[in-house]
Coordinates of all heavy atoms in Angstrom, one line a residue:
A1 N 0.8 -1.2 0.0 CA 0.0 0.0 0.0 C 0.9 1.2 0.0 O 1.9 1.3 0.6 CB -0.9 0.0 1.2
D2 N 0.4 2.3 -0.7 CA 1.1 3.6 -0.7 C 0.8 4.4 0.5 O -0.3 4.7 0.7 CB 0.7 4.3 -2.0 CG 1.5 5.6 -2.1 OD1 2.5 5.8 -1.5 OD2 1.0 6.5 -2.9
T3 N 1.8 4.7 1.3 CA 1.6 5.5 2.5 C 2.2 6.8 2.4 O 2.2 7.6 3.4 CB 2.2 4.7 3.7 OG1 3.6 4.5 3.5 CG2 1.6 3.4 4.0
S4 N 2.7 7.3 1.3 CA 3.4 8.6 1.1 C 2.4 9.7 1.4 O 2.8 10.7 2.0 CB 4.0 8.7 -0.2 OG 3.0 8.6 -1.2
T5 N 1.2 9.6 1.0 CA 0.2 10.7 1.3 C -0.1 10.8 2.7 O -0.1 11.9 3.3 CB -1.1 10.4 0.5 OG1 -0.8 10.4 -0.9 CG2 -2.1 11.5 0.7
A6 N -0.3 9.7 3.4 CA -0.6 9.7 4.8 C 0.5 10.4 5.6 O 0.2 11.0 6.6 CB -0.9 8.3 5.3
M7 N 1.7 10.2 5.2 CA 2.8 10.8 6.0 C 2.8 12.3 5.8 O 3.4 13.0 6.7 CB 4.1 10.2 5.5 CG 4.3 8.8 5.9 SD 5.8 7.9 5.4 CE 6.9 9.1 4.9
D8 N 2.2 12.9 4.8 CA 2.2 14.3 4.6 C 1.0 15.0 5.2 O 0.8 16.2 5.1 CB 2.2 14.6 3.1 CG 3.5 14.3 2.4 OD1 4.5 14.1 3.1 OD2 3.5 14.1 1.2
E9 N 0.0 14.2 5.8 CA -1.2 14.8 6.3 C -1.0 15.4 7.7 O -0.2 15.0 8.5 CB -2.3 13.7 6.4 CG -2.7 13.2 5.1 CD -3.7 12.1 5.2 OE1 -4.0 11.6 6.3 OE2 -4.3 11.7 4.1
T10 N -1.8 16.5 7.9 CA -1.8 17.2 9.2 C -3.2 17.3 9.6 O -4.1 17.6 8.8 CB -1.2 18.6 9.0 OG1 0.2 18.5 8.7 CG2 -1.3 19.4 10.3
T11 N -3.5 17.0 10.9 CA -4.8 17.1 11.4 C -4.9 18.5 12.1 O -4.0 18.8 12.9 CB -5.1 16.0 12.5 OG1 -5.0 14.7 11.8 CG2 -6.5 16.1 13.1
I12 N -6.0 19.2 11.8 CA -6.2 20.5 12.4 C -7.3 20.4 13.4 O -8.4 19.9 13.1 CB -6.6 21.6 11.4 CG1 -5.5 21.7 10.3 CG2 -6.9 22.9 12.0 CD1 -5.8 22.7 9.2
L13 N -7.1 20.8 14.6 CA -8.0 20.7 15.7 C -8.4 22.2 16.1 O -7.5 23.1 16.0 CB -7.5 20.0 16.9 CG -7.1 18.6 16.7 CD1 -6.4 18.0 18.0 CD2 -8.3 17.7 16.3
L14 N -9.6 22.4 16.4 CA -10.1 23.8 16.8 C -10.6 23.8 18.2 O -11.4 22.9 18.5 CB -11.2 24.2 15.8 CG -11.8 25.6 16.0 CD1 -10.8 26.7 15.8 CD2 -13.0 25.8 15.1
V15 N -10.2 24.8 19.0 CA -10.7 24.9 20.4 C -11.9 25.9 20.2 O -11.8 27.0 19.9 CB -9.7 25.6 21.3 CG1 -10.3 25.8 22.7 CG2 -8.5 24.7 21.4
P16 N -13.2 25.4 20.4 CA -14.3 26.2 20.1 C -14.6 27.3 21.1 O -15.3 28.3 20.8 CB -15.5 25.1 20.1 CG -15.0 24.0 21.0 CD -13.5 24.0 20.8
A17 N -14.1 27.2 22.3 CA -14.3 28.2 23.3 C -13.1 28.1 24.3 O -12.5 27.0 24.5 CB -15.6 28.0 24.0
P18 N -12.8 29.2 25.0 CA -11.7 29.1 26.0 C -11.9 28.0 27.0 O -13.0 27.9 27.5 CB -11.7 30.5 26.6 CG -12.3 31.4 25.6 CD -13.4 30.6 24.9
G19 N -10.9 27.2 27.2 CA -11.0 26.2 28.2 C -11.6 24.9 27.7 O -11.6 23.9 28.4
A20 N -12.2 24.9 26.5 CA -12.8 23.7 25.9 C -11.7 22.8 25.3 O -10.6 23.2 25.0 CB -13.8 24.1 24.8
R21 N -12.1 21.5 25.1 CA -11.2 20.6 24.5 C -11.2 20.8 23.0 O -12.2 21.2 22.4 CB -11.7 19.2 24.8 CG -11.6 18.8 26.2 CD -12.2 17.4 26.4 NE -11.6 16.4 25.5 CZ -11.0 15.3 25.9 NH1 -11.0 15.0 27.2 NH2 -10.5 14.5 25.0
P22 N -10.0 20.6 22.3 CA -10.0 20.8 20.9 C -10.8 19.8 20.2 O -11.0 18.6 20.6 CB -8.5 20.5 20.6 CG -7.8 20.7 21.9 CD -8.7 20.3 22.9
E23 N -11.5 20.2 19.1 CA -12.3 19.3 18.3 C -11.8 19.2 16.9 O -11.2 20.2 16.4 CB -13.8 19.9 18.2 CG -14.4 20.0 19.6 CD -15.8 20.6 19.5 OE1 -16.2 21.0 18.4 OE2 -16.4 20.8 20.6
F24 N -12.0 18.1 16.2 CA -11.5 17.9 14.8 C -12.1 19.0 13.9 O -13.3 19.2 13.9 CB -11.9 16.5 14.4 CG -11.6 16.2 12.9 CD1 -10.3 15.8 12.6 CD2 -12.5 16.4 11.9 CE1 -9.9 15.5 11.3 CE2 -12.1 16.2 10.6 CZ -10.9 15.7 10.3
L25 N -11.3 19.6 13.1 CA -11.7 20.5 12.0 C -11.5 19.9 10.6 O -12.3 19.8 9.8 CB -11.0 21.8 12.2 CG -11.4 22.9 11.1 CD1 -12.9 23.2 11.1 CD2 -10.5 24.1 11.3
A26 N -10.2 19.4 10.4 CA -9.9 18.9 9.1 C -8.6 18.1 9.1 O -7.8 18.3 10.0 CB -9.8 20.0 8.1
T27 N -8.5 17.3 8.1 CA -7.2 16.7 7.8 C -6.7 17.3 6.5 O -7.5 17.2 5.5 CB -7.3 15.1 7.7 OG1 -7.7 14.6 9.0 CG2 -5.9 14.5 7.4
V28 N -5.5 17.8 6.4 CA -5.1 18.5 5.2 C -3.7 18.0 4.8 O -3.0 17.3 5.6 CB -5.0 20.0 5.5 CG1 -6.3 20.6 5.8 CG2 -4.0 20.3 6.6
E29 N -3.4 18.3 3.6 CA -2.0 18.0 3.1 C -1.6 19.2 2.2 O -2.4 19.9 1.7 CB -2.0 16.7 2.3 CG -2.7 16.6 1.0 CD -2.7 15.3 0.3 OE1 -2.3 14.3 1.0 OE2 -3.0 15.3 -0.9
P30 N -0.3 19.4 2.1 CA 0.2 20.5 1.3 C 0.0 20.3 -0.2 O 0.1 19.2 -0.6 CB 1.7 20.6 1.7 CG 2.1 19.2 2.2 CD 0.8 18.6 2.8
I31 N -0.2 21.4 -0.9 CA -0.3 21.4 -2.3 C 0.7 22.5 -2.8 O 1.0 23.4 -2.1 CB -1.7 21.6 -2.9 CG1 -2.3 22.9 -2.4 CG2 -2.6 20.5 -2.5 CD1 -3.6 23.3 -3.1
G32 N 1.1 22.3 -4.0 CA 2.0 23.3 -4.6 C 2.5 22.9 -6.0 O 2.4 21.8 -6.3
S33 N 3.0 23.9 -6.7 CA 3.4 23.6 -8.0 C 4.8 23.0 -8.0 O 5.6 23.4 -7.2 CB 3.4 24.8 -8.9 OG 4.2 25.8 -8.3
S34 N 5.1 22.0 -8.8 CA 6.3 21.3 -8.9 C 6.9 20.9 -7.5 O 8.1 21.1 -7.3 CB 7.4 22.1 -9.7 OG 7.2 23.5 -9.7
G35 N 6.1 20.4 -6.7 CA 6.6 19.8 -5.4 C 7.3 20.8 -4.5 O 8.2 20.5 -3.9
T36 N 6.7 22.0 -4.4 CA 7.3 23.0 -3.5 C 7.2 22.7 -2.0 O 8.0 23.1 -1.2 CB 6.8 24.4 -3.8 OG1 5.4 24.4 -3.6 CG2 7.1 24.9 -5.2
S37 N 6.2 21.9 -1.7 CA 6.0 21.5 -0.3 C 6.7 20.1 -0.1 O 6.4 19.2 -0.8 CB 4.6 21.4 0.1 OG 4.0 22.7 0.0
K38 N 7.6 20.1 0.8 CA 8.4 18.8 1.1 C 7.7 18.0 2.2 O 7.2 18.6 3.1 CB 9.8 19.2 1.4 CG 10.6 19.9 0.4 CD 12.0 20.2 0.8 CE 11.9 21.2 1.9 NZ 12.7 22.3 1.9
S39 N 7.8 16.7 2.1 CA 7.4 15.9 3.1 C 8.1 16.2 4.4 O 9.3 16.4 4.4 CB 7.6 14.4 2.8 OG 7.2 13.6 3.8
G40 N 7.3 16.3 5.5 CA 7.9 16.5 6.8 C 8.0 18.0 7.2 O 8.4 18.4 8.2
D41 N 7.5 18.9 6.3 CA 7.5 20.3 6.6 C 6.4 20.7 7.6 O 6.6 21.7 8.3 CB 7.3 21.2 5.3 CG 8.5 21.3 4.5 OD1 9.6 20.9 4.9 OD2 8.4 21.9 3.3
L42 N 5.4 19.9 7.6 CA 4.3 20.3 8.5 C 4.2 19.3 9.7 O 4.6 18.1 9.6 CB 2.9 20.2 7.7 CG 2.8 21.2 6.6 CD1 1.5 20.9 5.8 CD2 2.8 22.6 7.1
P43 N 3.7 19.7 10.8 CA 3.5 18.8 12.0 C 2.4 17.9 11.7 O 1.5 18.1 10.9 CB 3.2 19.8 13.1 CG 2.6 21.0 12.5 CD 3.2 21.1 11.1
F44 N 2.4 16.8 12.5 CA 1.3 15.8 12.5 C 0.0 16.4 12.9 O -1.1 16.1 12.3 CB 1.6 14.6 13.4 CG 0.6 13.6 13.5 CD1 0.3 12.8 12.4 CD2 -0.2 13.5 14.6 CE1 -0.8 11.8 12.5 CE2 -1.2 12.6 14.7 CZ -1.5 11.7 13.7
E45 N 0.0 17.3 13.9 CA -1.2 17.9 14.4 C -1.0 19.4 14.7 O 0.0 19.8 15.2 CB -1.6 17.2 15.7 CG -2.9 17.6 16.3 CD -3.3 16.7 17.5 OE1 -3.9 15.6 17.2 OE2 -2.9 17.0 18.6
V46 N -2.1 20.2 14.4 CA -2.1 21.6 14.7 C -3.3 21.9 15.5 O -4.4 21.5 15.1 CB -2.0 22.5 13.5 CG1 -2.2 24.0 13.8 CG2 -0.8 22.3 12.7
V47 N -3.2 22.7 16.6 CA -4.4 23.1 17.4 C -4.6 24.6 17.3 O -3.7 25.4 17.6 CB -4.2 22.7 18.9 CG1 -5.4 23.2 19.7 CG2 -4.0 21.2 19.0
L48 N -5.7 25.0 16.7 CA -6.0 26.4 16.6 C -6.8 26.8 17.9 O -7.9 26.4 18.1 CB -6.9 26.7 15.4 CG -6.3 26.3 14.1 CD1 -7.4 26.5 13.0 CD2 -5.0 27.0 13.8
S49 N -6.1 27.5 18.8 CA -6.8 27.9 20.0 C -7.3 29.3 20.0 O -8.1 29.7 20.9 CB -5.8 27.7 21.2 OG -4.6 28.5 21.0
S50 N -6.9 30.1 19.0 CA -7.4 31.5 18.9 C -7.0 32.0 17.5 O -6.1 31.4 16.8 CB -6.8 32.4 20.0 OG -5.4 32.5 19.9
Y51 N -7.5 33.1 17.1 CA -7.2 33.7 15.8 C -7.3 35.2 15.9 O -8.0 35.7 16.8 CB -8.0 33.1 14.7 CG -9.5 33.0 15.0 CD1 -10.4 34.0 14.9 CD2 -10.0 31.8 15.4 CE1 -11.7 33.9 15.2 CE2 -11.3 31.6 15.8 CZ -12.2 32.7 15.6 OH -13.5 32.5 15.9
T52 N -6.7 35.9 15.0 CA -6.6 37.4 15.0 C -6.5 38.0 13.6 O -6.1 37.3 12.7 CB -5.5 37.9 15.9 OG1 -5.5 39.3 16.0 CG2 -4.1 37.4 15.3
R53 N -6.9 39.2 13.5 CA -6.7 40.0 12.3 C -5.6 41.0 12.5 O -5.4 41.8 11.6 CB -8.0 40.7 11.8 CG -9.0 39.8 11.2 CD -10.1 40.6 10.6 NE -9.6 41.2 9.3 CZ -10.4 41.9 8.5 NH1 -11.6 42.0 8.8 NH2 -9.9 42.4 7.4
D54 N -5.0 41.0 13.6 CA -3.9 41.9 13.9 C -2.8 41.9 12.8 O -2.5 40.8 12.2 CB -3.2 41.6 15.2 CG -4.2 41.9 16.4 OD1 -5.2 42.6 16.2 OD2 -3.9 41.5 17.5
A55 N -2.3 43.0 12.5 CA -1.3 43.1 11.4 C -0.1 42.2 11.5 O 0.4 41.6 10.5 CB -0.8 44.6 11.2
W56 N 0.3 41.9 12.7 CA 1.5 41.1 12.9 C 1.2 39.7 12.4 O 2.2 39.0 11.9 CB 2.0 41.0 14.3 CG 1.0 40.3 15.2 CD1 0.0 40.9 16.0 CD2 0.8 38.9 15.5 NE1 -0.7 40.0 16.7 CE2 -0.2 38.7 16.4 CE3 1.5 37.8 15.0 CZ2 -0.6 37.5 16.8 CZ3 1.1 36.5 15.4 CH2 0.0 36.4 16.3
A57 N 0.0 39.2 12.4 CA -0.3 37.9 12.0 C -0.3 37.7 10.4 O -0.2 36.5 10.0 CB -1.7 37.5 12.5
I58 N -0.5 38.7 9.7 CA -0.5 38.6 8.2 C 0.5 39.4 7.5 O 0.5 39.5 6.3 CB -1.9 39.0 7.7 CG1 -2.3 40.4 8.1 CG2 -3.0 38.0 8.1 CD1 -3.6 40.9 7.6
S59 N 1.5 40.0 8.3 CA 2.5 40.8 7.6 C 3.5 39.9 6.9 O 3.7 38.8 7.3 CB 3.2 41.7 8.7 OG 3.8 40.9 9.6
C60 N 4.2 40.5 5.9 CA 5.2 39.8 5.2 C 6.4 40.7 5.2 O 6.3 41.8 4.7 CB 4.8 39.4 3.8 SG 4.0 37.8 3.7
P61 N 7.6 40.3 5.5 CA 7.8 39.0 6.3 C 7.4 39.2 7.8 O 7.3 40.3 8.2 CB 9.4 38.9 6.2 CG 9.9 40.3 6.0 CD 8.8 41.1 5.3
P62 N 7.2 38.1 8.4 CA 6.9 38.1 9.8 C 8.0 38.7 10.7 O 9.2 38.6 10.2 CB 6.5 36.7 10.2 CG 7.2 35.9 9.2 CD 7.3 36.7 7.9
P63 N 7.7 39.2 11.8 CA 8.8 39.7 12.7 C 9.7 38.5 13.1 O 9.3 37.3 13.1 CB 8.1 40.2 13.9 CG 6.7 39.7 13.9 CD 6.4 39.3 12.5
P64 N 11.0 38.8 13.3 CA 11.9 37.7 13.7 C 11.4 37.0 14.9 O 11.0 37.6 15.9 CB 13.2 38.4 14.0 CG 13.1 39.8 13.4 CD 11.7 40.1 13.3
P65 N 11.4 35.6 14.9 CA 10.9 34.9 16.1 C 11.9 35.0 17.3 O 13.1 35.2 17.1 CB 10.9 33.5 15.6 CG 11.8 33.4 14.4 CD 11.9 34.8 13.8
S66 N 11.3 35.0 18.4 CA 12.1 35.0 19.6 C 12.7 33.6 19.8 O 12.2 32.6 19.2 CB 11.3 35.4 20.8 OG 10.2 34.5 21.0
P67 N 13.7 33.4 20.6 CA 14.3 32.1 20.7 C 13.3 31.0 21.2 O 13.5 29.9 20.8 CB 15.4 32.3 21.8 CG 15.7 33.7 21.7 CD 14.4 34.4 21.3
E68 N 12.3 31.4 21.9 CA 11.4 30.3 22.4 C 10.2 30.1 21.5 O 9.4 29.2 21.7 CB 10.8 30.7 23.8 CG 10.0 32.0 23.9 CD 10.9 33.3 24.0 OE1 12.1 33.2 24.2 OE2 10.3 34.3 24.0
S69 N 10.1 30.8 20.4 CA 8.9 30.6 19.5 C 9.4 29.9 18.2 O 10.5 29.8 17.9 CB 8.3 32.0 19.1 OG 9.2 32.7 18.3
A70 N 8.4 29.3 17.5 CA 8.6 28.6 16.3 C 8.8 29.5 15.1 O 8.3 30.7 15.2 CB 7.5 27.6 16.1
H71 N 9.5 29.1 14.1 CA 9.6 29.9 12.9 C 8.3 29.8 12.1 O 7.7 28.8 12.0 CB 10.8 29.4 12.0 CG 12.1 29.6 12.7 ND1 12.8 30.8 12.7 CD2 12.9 28.7 13.4 CE1 13.9 30.6 13.4 NE2 14.0 29.4 13.8
W72 N 7.9 31.0 11.5 CA 6.7 31.0 10.7 C 7.0 30.5 9.3 O 8.0 30.8 8.7 CB 6.3 32.5 10.5 CG 5.6 33.0 11.8 CD1 6.2 33.5 12.9 CD2 4.2 33.1 12.1 NE1 5.3 33.9 13.8 CE2 4.1 33.7 13.3 CE3 3.1 32.7 11.4 CZ2 2.8 33.9 13.9 CZ3 1.8 32.9 11.9 CH2 1.7 33.5 13.2
K73 N 6.1 29.7 8.8 CA 6.1 29.2 7.4 C 4.7 29.4 6.8 O 3.8 29.4 7.5 CB 6.5 27.7 7.4 CG 7.9 27.4 7.9 CD 8.1 25.9 7.8 CE 9.4 25.5 8.4 NZ 9.6 24.1 8.3
S74 N 4.7 29.4 5.5 CA 3.4 29.4 4.9 C 3.3 28.4 3.7 O 4.4 28.1 3.1 CB 3.0 30.8 4.3 OG 3.9 31.2 3.3
T75 N 2.2 27.8 3.5 CA 2.0 26.9 2.4 C 0.5 26.8 2.1 O -0.3 27.1 3.0 CB 2.5 25.5 2.9 OG1 2.5 24.6 1.7 CG2 1.7 24.8 4.0
W76 N 0.2 26.3 1.0 CA -1.2 26.1 0.6 C -1.6 24.7 1.0 O -0.8 23.7 0.9 CB -1.4 26.2 -0.9 CG -1.3 27.6 -1.4 CD1 -0.2 28.3 -1.9 CD2 -2.4 28.6 -1.4 NE1 -0.5 29.6 -2.2 CE2 -1.9 29.8 -1.9 CE3 -3.7 28.5 -1.0 CZ2 -2.6 30.9 -2.0 CZ3 -4.5 29.7 -1.1 CH2 -3.9 30.9 -1.6
L77 N -2.8 24.5 1.5 CA -3.3 23.2 2.0 C -4.6 22.8 1.3 O -5.3 23.7 0.9 CB -3.5 23.2 3.5 CG -2.3 23.6 4.4 CD1 -2.8 23.9 5.8 CD2 -1.2 22.6 4.3
K78 N -4.8 21.5 1.2 CA -6.1 21.1 0.7 C -6.6 20.0 1.7 O -5.9 19.3 2.3 CB -6.0 20.5 -0.7 CG -5.3 19.2 -0.8 CD -5.3 18.6 -2.2 CE -4.6 17.3 -2.3 NZ -4.6 16.7 -3.6
S79 N -7.9 20.0 1.9 CA -8.6 19.1 2.8 C -8.6 17.7 2.1 O -9.0 17.6 0.9 CB -10.0 19.6 3.1 OG -10.6 18.6 4.0
V80 N -8.3 16.7 2.8 CA -8.3 15.3 2.3 C -9.2 14.4 3.1 O -9.2 13.2 2.8 CB -6.9 14.8 2.2 CG1 -6.0 15.5 1.2 CG2 -6.2 14.7 3.5
D81 N -10.0 14.9 4.0 CA -10.8 14.0 4.9 C -12.2 13.8 4.3 O -12.9 12.9 4.8 CB -10.9 14.6 6.3 CG -11.4 16.0 6.4 OD1 -12.6 16.2 5.9 OD2 -10.7 16.9 6.9
G82 N -12.6 14.7 3.4 CA -14.0 14.5 2.8 C -15.1 15.0 3.6 O -16.3 14.8 3.2
R83 N -14.9 15.6 4.7 CA -16.0 16.1 5.6 C -16.5 17.5 5.2 O -17.6 17.8 5.6 CB -15.5 16.1 7.1 CG -15.2 14.7 7.5 CD -14.9 14.7 9.0 NE -14.3 13.4 9.4 CZ -14.0 13.1 10.7 NH1 -14.2 14.0 11.6 NH2 -13.5 11.9 11.0
G84 N -15.7 18.3 4.6 CA -16.1 19.6 4.1 C -16.3 20.6 5.2 O -17.1 21.6 5.0
K85 N -15.6 20.5 6.3 CA -15.7 21.5 7.4 C -15.0 22.8 7.2 O -15.4 23.8 7.7 CB -15.3 20.9 8.7 CG -16.2 19.9 9.3 CD -15.7 19.5 10.7 CE -16.8 18.7 11.4 NZ -16.4 18.5 12.8
L86 N -13.9 22.8 6.4 CA -13.1 24.0 6.2 C -13.9 25.1 5.5 O -13.8 26.3 5.9 CB -11.8 23.7 5.4 CG -10.7 23.0 6.2 CD1 -9.5 22.8 5.3 CD2 -10.3 23.9 7.4
P87 N -14.7 24.9 4.4 CA -15.5 25.9 3.8 C -16.5 26.6 4.9 O -16.6 27.8 4.9 CB -16.2 25.3 2.7 CG -15.4 24.1 2.3 CD -14.8 23.6 3.6
G88 N -17.1 25.8 5.7 CA -18.0 26.3 6.7 C -17.2 27.2 7.7 O -17.7 28.2 8.2
F89 N -16.0 26.7 8.1 CA -15.2 27.5 9.1 C -14.8 28.8 8.5 O -14.9 29.9 9.1 CB -14.0 26.7 9.5 CG -13.2 27.4 10.5 CD1 -13.7 27.7 11.8 CD2 -11.8 27.6 10.3 CE1 -12.9 28.4 12.7 CE2 -11.0 28.3 11.2 CZ -11.6 28.6 12.4
L90 N -14.4 28.8 7.2 CA -14.0 30.1 6.5 C -15.2 31.0 6.4 O -15.1 32.2 6.7 CB -13.5 29.8 5.1 CG -13.0 31.0 4.3 CD1 -12.0 31.8 5.1 CD2 -12.5 30.6 3.0
K91 N -16.4 30.5 6.1 CA -17.6 31.3 6.0 C -17.9 31.9 7.4 O -18.2 33.1 7.5 CB -18.8 30.4 5.6 CG -20.1 31.2 5.5 CD -21.3 30.3 5.1 CE -22.5 31.2 5.0 NZ -23.7 30.3 5.0
Y92 N -17.8 31.1 8.5 CA -18.0 31.6 9.8 C -17.0 32.8 10.1 O -17.4 33.8 10.6 CB -17.7 30.5 10.8 CG -17.6 30.9 12.3 CD1 -18.7 31.1 13.0 CD2 -16.4 31.1 12.8 CE1 -18.6 31.5 14.4 CE2 -16.2 31.5 14.2 CZ -17.4 31.7 14.9 OH -17.3 32.1 16.2
L93 N -15.7 32.7 9.8 CA -14.8 33.7 10.0 C -15.1 35.0 9.2 O -15.0 36.1 9.7 CB -13.4 33.2 9.7 CG -12.8 32.1 10.6 CD1 -11.5 31.7 10.1 CD2 -12.7 32.6 12.0
R94 N -15.5 34.8 7.9 CA -15.8 35.9 7.0 C -17.0 36.7 7.6 O -17.0 37.9 7.6 CB -16.0 35.5 5.6 CG -14.8 35.2 4.9 CD -15.0 35.0 3.4 NE -13.7 34.9 2.7 CZ -13.5 34.0 1.8 NH1 -14.4 33.1 1.4 NH2 -12.3 33.9 1.2
E95 N -18.0 36.0 8.0 CA -19.2 36.6 8.5 C -18.9 37.5 9.8 O -19.6 38.5 10.0 CB -20.3 35.6 8.9 CG -20.9 35.0 7.6 CD -21.9 33.8 8.0 OE1 -21.9 33.4 9.1 OE2 -22.5 33.3 7.0
R96 N -17.9 37.1 10.5 CA -17.6 37.8 11.7 C -16.4 38.7 11.5 O -15.8 39.2 12.4 CB -17.3 36.8 12.9 CG -18.6 36.3 13.4 CD -18.5 34.8 13.9 NE -19.8 34.3 14.2 CZ -20.6 33.8 13.4 NH1 -20.3 33.7 12.1 NH2 -21.8 33.3 13.7
K97 N -16.1 38.9 10.2 CA -15.0 39.8 9.8 C -13.6 39.4 10.4 O -12.9 40.3 10.8 CB -15.4 41.2 10.0 CG -16.7 41.6 9.3 CD -16.8 43.1 9.2 CE -18.1 43.5 8.6 NZ -18.7 42.8 7.5
K98 N -13.4 38.2 10.6 CA -12.1 37.7 11.1 C -11.1 37.5 10.0 O -9.9 37.3 10.3 CB -12.3 36.4 11.9 CG -13.3 36.5 13.1 CD -12.7 37.4 14.2 CE -13.6 37.4 15.4 NZ -13.1 38.3 16.4
V99 N -11.5 37.3 8.8 CA -10.6 37.2 7.7 C -11.0 38.1 6.6 O -12.1 38.5 6.4 CB -10.6 35.7 7.1 CG1 -10.0 34.7 8.1 CG2 -11.9 35.3 6.6
P100 N -10.0 38.5 5.7 CA -10.3 39.4 4.6 C -11.1 38.8 3.5 O -11.2 37.6 3.4 CB -9.0 39.9 4.1 CG -7.9 39.0 4.7 CD -8.6 38.3 5.8

């Protein structure tokens, strides 16, 4: 069996309210032209505990990371779980003016 795709997948969990347990949002994998996303670039799991429209979160390039923080990276992702939750989450954020 081919397991190369499964190794590139990342599970995104969302904390729906402060203090709540993270819930499944999506399983994604990187997409890009001519293999720009390398296997192992993304973690196995990401937990979204909050979000912001503050300029520091979307500026390019991001401010230099402090020694205790992770380096920022960006990549395009596609959902591979077939549940279709990401479009609904994006609609929710747009309605509340959390994303442009």
Side-chain angles (χ1 to χ4, degrees):
D2 180 17
T3 59
S4 60
T5 301
M7 292 177 13
D8 292 340
E9 292 178 353
T10 296
T11 299
I12 301 175
L13 303 174
L14 176 66
V15 177
R21 293 175 55 126
E23 298 176 0
F24 176 85
L25 179 61
T27 300
V28 296
E29 67 181 16
I31 58 172
S33 58
S34 28
T36 55
S37 296
K38 299 179 293 232
S39 177
D41 280 353
L42 298 174
F44 174 74
E45 184 175 273
V46 173
V47 178
L48 302 177
S49 58
S50 62
Y51 42 85
T52 183
R53 283 189 74 174
D54 292 344
W56 67 265
I58 55 175
S59 64
C60 273
S66 61
E68 63 275 356
S69 69
H71 294 278
W72 285 84
K73 295 181 185 179
S74 63
T75 189
W76 287 96
L77 303 170
K78 69 176 179 177
S79 177
V80 294
D81 57 59
R83 296 186 191 184
K85 287 186 166 189
L86 283 180
F89 182 60
L90 181 58
K91 181 180 177 194
Y92 168 84
L93 294 175
R94 282 191 174 136
E95 287 172 353
R96 284 148 189 83
K97 303 200 184 320
K98 300 289 185 184
V99 295

